[in-house]
């Protein structure tokens, strides 16, 4: 019989299976994204009933099968009940989990992504940032972890550190004024001016440890411009239809 594994992670999503079982997707520190079955977890007397729900964080004891895992026990350290009581927060929380699941891979360690997801859900509870701004900070940090974020620290061509800077989609980074003039015709169609404050914020998010990602302040106007930039960039490189994202706008209109 296979040895029992103890995996540390968070429940990303839950689906009912058959009459009493659950199929859950876990983001784990040790094995990345995995699918697991919790037999009988929908029965009222099951010890896994409350432990196999979205956002639950803890230790999951399981056996590894050919195509999936079977959970036999779980010790939950945090349920994020505060998020579950707020409809808008639930919608954003589901989106964060789906976005993380899109990038996570099986059998690859996902400690940093797991830590980021945990900190981000904690920020939903703290309400220090508008949920919409929280979304774009989270997206940018995930892209950084996955090596998909552009170079924002100096000119990607000559490495000049003097602004103003312009962002080039073709070069996947910022260009200084001289390089923009030199290569202006080549990069004219897909470049935009980039405010220095936004460039610094993007760099801060990219380089900060997980416990410092959300420890900065930004004005309302800067936050709006920051969000527009990240939204535009993500749309260009992440070609995926996130189902949970469709829940966010209708819920916002209800408040």
């Amino acid at each position: 019989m296979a040895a029992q594994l103890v995996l540390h992670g968070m429940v990303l999503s839950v689906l009912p299976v058959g009459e009493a079982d659950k199929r859950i997707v876990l983001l784990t520190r040790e094995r990345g994204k995995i699918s697991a079955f919790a037999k009988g977890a929908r029965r009222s007397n099951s010890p896994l009933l409350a432990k196999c729900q979205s956002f639950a964080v803890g230790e999951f004891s399981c056996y590894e099968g050919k195509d999936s895992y079977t959970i036999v026990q779980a010790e939950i350290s945090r349920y994020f009940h505060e998020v579950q009581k707020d409809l808008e927060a639930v919608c954003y929380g589901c989106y964060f989990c789906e976005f993380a699941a899109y990038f996570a891979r099986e059998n690859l360690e996902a400690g940093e992504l797991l830590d980021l997801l945990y900190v981000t859900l904690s920020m939903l509870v703290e309400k220090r940032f508008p949920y919409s701004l929280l979304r774009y900070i989270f997206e940018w940090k995930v892209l950084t972890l996955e090596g998909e974020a552009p170079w924002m620290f100096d000119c990607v061509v000559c490495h000049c550190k003097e602004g103003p800077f312009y962002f080039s989609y073709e070069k996947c980074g910022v260009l200084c004024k001289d390089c923009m003039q030199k290569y202006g015709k080549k990069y004219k169609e897909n470049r935009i001016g980039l405010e220095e404050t936004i460039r610094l914020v993007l760099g801060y998010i990219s380089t900060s440890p997980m416990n410092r990602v959300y420890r900065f302040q930004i004005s309302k106007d800067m936050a709006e411009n920051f969000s527009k930039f990240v939204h535009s960039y993500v749309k260009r490189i992440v070609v995926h239809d996130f189902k949970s994202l469709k829940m966010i706008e209708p819920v916002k209109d209800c408040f």
Side-chain angles (χ1 to χ4, degrees):
M1 187 175 182
Q4 184 171 304
L5 300 173
V6 177
L7 302 177
H8 301 80
M10 178 187 296
V11 178
L12 300 181
S13 61
V14 183
L15 284 175
V17 176
E19 295 183 359
D21 301 340
K22 288 183 179 181
R23 177 186 178 274
I24 70 174
V25 176
L26 281 171
L27 179 63
T28 69
R29 190 173 301 277
E30 301 85 358
R31 298 287 183 97
K33 181 178 66 175
I34 66 170
S35 295
F37 289 91
K39 295 182 178 180
R42 290 161 58 204
R43 294 193 177 99
S44 59
N45 61 347
S46 171
L48 295 176
L49 177 63
K51 297 178 179 180
C52 292
Q53 58 178 285
S54 295
F55 313 139
V57 181
E59 297 181 354
F60 297 85
S61 300
C62 54
Y63 290 103
E64 183 178 5
K66 183 177 180 180
D67 300 314
S68 63
Y69 294 74
T70 299
I71 297 175
V72 294
Q73 187 178 351
E75 296 296 331
I76 304 302
S77 58
R78 188 168 184 182
Y79 285 96
F80 283 103
H81 288 309
E82 305 93 334
V83 173
Q84 297 172 358
K85 294 177 182 178
D86 182 335
L87 178 59
E88 189 177 10
V90 167
C91 293
Y92 275 95
C94 289
Y95 173 66
F96 296 150
C97 287
E98 188 179 1
F99 197 80
Y102 174 78
F103 284 98
R105 298 293 180 266
E106 189 170 350
N107 294 322
L108 291 177
E109 293 183 4
E112 288 187 310
L113 184 57
L114 178 62
D115 291 341
L116 175 62
L117 188 55
Y118 182 91
V119 171
T120 304
L121 291 183
S122 297
M123 291 302 297
L124 281 177
V125 176
E126 291 186 27
K127 302 181 186 298
R128 290 186 61 248
F129 287 103
Y131 294 159
S132 56
L133 177 58
L134 200 62
R135 165 193 169 182
Y136 295 115
I137 299 172
F138 174 76
E139 289 178 348
W140 189 261
K141 188 62 174 180
V142 171
L143 294 184
T144 300
L145 293 178
E146 297 300 319
E148 298 284 356
W151 185 255
M152 308 299 292
F153 304 100
D154 53 30
C155 178
V156 73
V157 175
C158 71
H159 301 293
C160 173
K161 299 183 182 297
E162 298 294 329
F165 289 99
Y166 300 85
F167 182 76
S168 168
Y169 285 104
E170 287 90 344
K171 298 297 290 183
C172 197
V174 293
L175 297 173
C176 67
K177 184 177 180 180
D178 290 342
C179 286
M180 179 52 67
Q181 291 176 343
K182 184 177 181 180
Y183 300 103
K185 292 182 179 180
K186 184 176 181 180
Y187 302 131
K188 184 176 181 181
E189 292 185 0
N190 288 302
R191 59 88 173 165
I192 57 174
L194 190 65
E195 296 171 83
E196 182 66 4
T197 300
I198 295 177
R199 186 181 73 87
L200 293 174
V201 169
L202 293 168
Y204 173 85
I205 296 169
S206 294
T207 57
S208 293
M210 298 310 164
N211 62 347
R212 301 293 300 175
V213 170
Y214 297 104
R215 302 303 172 184
F216 68 91
Q217 295 182 342
I218 188 171
S219 70
K220 185 176 181 180
D221 289 342
M222 285 294 109
E224 183 176 349
N225 292 338
F226 164 84
S227 299
K228 288 179 179 178
F229 175 82
V230 176
H231 180 73
S232 175
Y233 184 78
V234 172
K235 282 187 67 175
R236 281 176 172 264
I237 67 169
V238 182
V239 183
H240 183 74
D241 184 22
F242 293 100
K243 295 180 180 179
S244 53
L245 193 57
K246 298 177 181 178
M247 299 188 297
I248 292 176
E249 290 301 327
V251 171
K252 287 174 62 177
D253 292 341
C254 294
F255 290 84

